């Protein structure tokens, strides 16, 4: 499965409130106030795994499943929200931010 990284960046920016850019190997989240940068190195396959996992959770809660990339917004908001550092990193399906 190929992920449209432009669409991914747009969906995640809407969901998280951060500025987001994406290329073939990473997604970069930038917050201006306070100045923060979080780099997420992730493959298309790992994005697919996260989407599948979020859809399973939605189905078990009686919600609608979606193929929308915005489904990743909630777990990423949960990762970015408590982050207080100036620079952080996430790798693959582990959405824990390391400084």
């Amino acid at each position: 499965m190929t992920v449209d990284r432009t669409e991914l960046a747009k969906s995640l920016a809407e969901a998280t409130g951060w500025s987001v850019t994406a290329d073939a190997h990473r997604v970069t989240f930038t917050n201006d106030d306070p100045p923060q940068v979080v780099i997420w190195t992730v493959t298309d396959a790992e994005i697919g795994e996260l989407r599948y996992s979020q859809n399973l959770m939605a189905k078990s809660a009686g919600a609608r499943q979606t193929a929308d990339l915005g489904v990743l917004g909630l777990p990423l908001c949960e990762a970015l929200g408590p982050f207080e550092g100036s620079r952080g990193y996430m790798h693959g399906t582990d959405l824990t931010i390391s400084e």
Side-chain angles (χ1 to χ4, degrees):
M1 167 188 84
T2 301
V3 173
D4 180 340
R5 296 293 178 123
T6 302
E7 184 62 31
L8 175 67
K10 180 181 170 187
S11 294
L12 295 179
E14 287 178 11
T16 64
W18 290 54
S19 297
V20 182
T21 58
D23 64 27
H25 305 288
R26 73 191 58 80
V27 178
T28 304
F29 298 89
T30 307
N31 190 16
D32 294 330
D33 188 25
Q36 297 173 298
V37 174
V38 175
I39 298 171
W40 178 28
T41 54
V42 63
T43 65
D44 287 354
E46 290 164 334
I47 290 169
E49 287 177 44
L50 287 168
R51 288 168 71 183
Y52 179 75
S53 174
Q54 288 300 303
N55 275 322
L56 284 180
M57 288 181 9
K59 184 178 178 181
S60 69
R64 179 177 63 89
Q65 292 182 341
T66 178
D68 187 350
L69 290 167
V71 74
L72 301 175
L74 179 61
L76 286 163
C77 281
E78 290 173 347
L80 295 168
F83 179 64
E84 295 180 351
S86 60
R87 189 166 185 86
Y89 303 92
M90 295 184 293
H91 300 285
T93 59
D94 179 6
L95 300 182
T96 304
I97 300 175
S98 303
E99 288 191 62

